[in-house]
C-alpha cells in the first residue's frame, strides 16, 4: 500500500537532518542501537549500510512529529484501536555502493511462538526510485506462511535474513516515492530493496506498529534464528551489564500500556522468555 504526503515537506527536512546528525555522531553505537546492517561492525571500518533502532531514544522530539501522529492513526485504522508503536528503524543506504536488502519477511525475525498483527510504515526522506533502492513487494504474499530464511552466506553474525523459500521474484512491484510519501506493508509481506547506484545517499525512516501478539508456543519453527549473535547484540549485552538496563527501562516506561491487560500479558510472557533464554546461555 502507498500513501502520499503522510509527512509535510518542512518536517521531512527536519527529520532528515535529525537522523543524519544521529548517524554522523554514531549515537547509540555503544548501546547496540546503531550498526552496519549488511556487514560486521569493526573498529575503523566504514559502514556499508548504517542502520539505527529507535532514534527517538536520542531525540525524543521525533515522537512529536506529524509523521508519528498520522502513522499511529493509520495503524489504528488498519490494525484496531489496540495498535501501538513497537519500534523505529532508520536506514541510510550510501551513494554508489549502498548494498541491496535481501528478499525477506519481517516475521522471520520475530519469535516463532507468537501470532502477530503488525505493519511497517516506510517513509522516504528524499525521492526514492529503483536506482537508489525503493521498496519492492510481492503482492499477496502477506496471505501466505512465513517461508524459510537464512543468514546471508550462512554467517549468523550478520543482521539481514534472506528468504530462500520458493516465490516468484519476477513478479515484484517497485514502489517509487516522493519525499514524505510512504509504503505500508504487513509483517508477512515479502519485500526487497536494490542497491543504491545513485550519487546521493538514500535515507528512510520506518515506524513499526502492532497489537498485542498472541502467545502460541510451537506455532512454527524458525531454525534460522538459532545461534544468531550480531556485533550490536554483543554491545547491547555489555551495556546492559554496565547499568544500561536501567536506562532502557526508564526510556520505555512512558510506552507501558498499564491499562490494557493484553499488552501487560504480552510484556510478561516476553520477559519470562528472555529470562529463560539468558539462563540457558549461562549454563555450562
Amino acid at each position: 500500500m502507498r500513501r502520499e504526503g503522510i509527512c509535510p515537506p518542512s518536517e521531512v527536512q527536519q527529520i532528515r537532518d535529525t537522523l543524519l546528525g544521529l548517524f554522523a555522531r554514531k549515537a547509540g553505537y555503544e548501546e547496540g542501537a546503531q550498526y552496519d546492517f549488511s556487514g560486521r561492525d569493526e573498529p575503523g571500518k566504514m559502514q556499508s549500510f548504517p542502520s539505527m533502532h529507535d532514534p527517538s531514544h536520542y531525540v525524543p522530539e521525533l515522537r512529536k512529529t506529524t509523521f508519528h501522529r498520522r502513522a499511529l492513526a493509520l495503524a489504528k485504522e488498519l490494525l484496531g484501536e489496540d495498535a501501538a508503536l513497537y519500534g523505529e528503524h532508520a536506514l541510510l543506504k550510501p551513494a554508489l555502493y549502498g548494498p541491496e536488502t535481501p528478499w525477506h519477511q519481517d516475521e522471520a525475525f520475530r519469535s516463532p511462538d507468537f501470532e502477530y498483527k503488525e505493519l511497517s510504515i516506510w517513509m522516504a526522506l528524499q525521492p526514492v526510485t529503483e536506482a537508489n533502492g525503493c521498496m519492492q513487494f510481492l503482492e499477496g504474499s502477506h496471505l501466505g506462511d512465513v517461508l524459510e530464511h537464512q543468514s546471508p552466506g550462512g554467517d549468523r553474525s550478520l543482521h539481514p535474513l534472506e528468504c530462500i523459500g520458493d516465490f516468484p521474484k519476477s513478479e515484484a512491484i517497485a514502489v517509487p516515492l516522493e519525499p514524505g510519501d510512504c509504503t505500508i506493508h504487513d509483517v508477512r509481506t515479502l519485500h526487497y530493496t536494490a542497491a543504491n547506484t545513485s550519487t546521493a545517499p538514500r535515507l528512510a525512516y520506518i515506524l513499526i506498529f502492532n497489537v498485542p501478539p498472541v502467545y502460541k508456543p510451537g506455532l512454527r519453527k524458525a531454525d534460522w534464528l538459532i545461534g544468531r549473535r550480531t556485533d550490536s547484540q554483543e554491545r547491547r549485552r555489555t551495556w546492559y551489564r554496565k547499568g544500561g538496563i536501567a536506562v532502557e527501562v526508564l526510556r520505555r516506561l512512558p510506552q507501558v500500556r498499564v491499562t490494557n491487560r493484553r499488552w501487560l500479558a504480552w510484556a510478561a510472557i516476553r520477559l519470562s522468555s528472555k529470562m529463560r533464554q539468558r539462563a540457558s546461555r549461562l549454563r555450562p
Side-chain angles (χ1 to χ4, degrees):
M1 181 188 298
R2 181 175 182 269
R3 180 69 61 96
E4 296 181 358
I6 196 170
C7 186
S10 59
E11 195 174 87
V12 169
Q13 189 60 49
Q14 171 195 343
I15 292 173
R16 180 178 174 82
D17 290 344
T18 297
L19 295 179
L20 287 175
L22 290 172
F23 278 118
R25 68 175 191 263
K26 302 200 78 169
Y29 180 83
E30 295 303 326
E31 303 172 18
Q34 189 170 157
Y35 54 90
D36 190 335
F37 183 77
S38 63
R40 297 293 302 272
D41 290 325
E42 299 173 5
K45 175 191 168 190
M46 181 180 292
Q47 292 183 330
S48 58
F49 193 174
S51 175
M52 185 176 191
H53 284 303
D54 298 316
S56 68
H57 284 174
Y58 310 97
V59 183
E61 289 77 14
L62 285 169
R63 290 285 190 110
K64 301 175 183 178
T65 57
T66 301
F67 175 45
H68 266 261
R69 177 171 54 79
R70 289 179 177 173
L72 177 59
L74 180 57
K76 287 179 178 290
E77 176 186 330
L78 296 173
L79 297 176
E81 281 300 311
D82 277 351
L85 184 69
Y86 173 71
E88 309 159 78
H89 203 184
L91 291 164
L92 179 60
K93 191 167 284 199
L96 300 177
Y97 68 88
E100 69 175 17
T101 302
W103 279 101
H104 68 280
Q105 296 164 292
D106 293 338
E107 192 172 338
F109 290 87
R110 307 284 186 263
S111 166
D113 290 333
F114 290 87
E115 187 175 75
Y116 299 91
K117 284 182 65 179
E118 177 181 308
L119 58 81
S120 294
I121 299 178
W122 192 105
M123 184 174 70
L125 292 168
Q126 70 288 297
V128 291
T129 64
E130 290 187 64
N132 67 1
C134 70
M135 293 286 278
Q136 299 189 38
F137 300 101
L138 194 62
E139 189 174 13
S141 55
H142 67 289
L143 300 174
D145 295 327
V146 178
L147 302 180
E148 186 177 359
H149 287 65
Q150 69 175 12
S151 296
D155 186 349
R156 299 197 177 204
S157 69
L158 300 179
H159 280 272
L161 290 174
E162 58 180 353
C163 183
I164 56 173
D166 185 24
F167 63 96
K169 296 180 184 179
S170 61
E171 296 178 13
I173 298 173
V175 186
L177 298 172
E178 291 300 315
D181 295 350
C182 69
T183 60
I184 304 102
H185 68 268
D186 183 82
V187 71
R188 287 198 177 186
T189 300
L190 277 157
H191 56 288
Y192 160 89
T193 64
N196 182 5
T197 59
S198 77
T199 56
R202 190 224 68 187
L203 181 61
Y205 186 27
I206 303 98
L207 301 183
I208 306 163
F209 297 89
N210 65 3
V211 298
V214 179
Y215 186 49
K216 292 188 175 181
L219 180 64
R220 62 179 178 84
K221 290 185 177 180
D223 293 341
W224 54 85
L225 294 178
I226 299 172
R228 284 185 86 237
R229 185 166 292 193
T230 66
D231 295 332
S232 67
Q233 288 172 334
E234 290 298 321
R235 291 198 302 278
R236 176 152 293 243
R237 290 187 182 99
T238 300
W239 179 64
Y240 277 171
R241 288 194 296 268
K242 293 180 178 178
I245 188 66
V247 176
E248 186 80 355
V249 169
L250 288 174
R251 283 173 177 165
R252 297 193 180 275
L253 270 178
Q255 302 171 240
V256 175
R257 306 153 186 111
V258 295
T259 59
N260 188 312
R261 291 181 180 178
R262 292 179 64 206
W263 279 116
L264 287 173
W266 181 54
I269 292 169
R270 284 189 74 201
L271 179 60
S272 175
S273 175
K274 285 181 179 295
M275 290 177 68
R276 288 198 302 270
Q277 291 173 9
R278 184 175 182 181
S280 66
R281 288 196 298 267
L282 293 175
R283 289 193 197 108

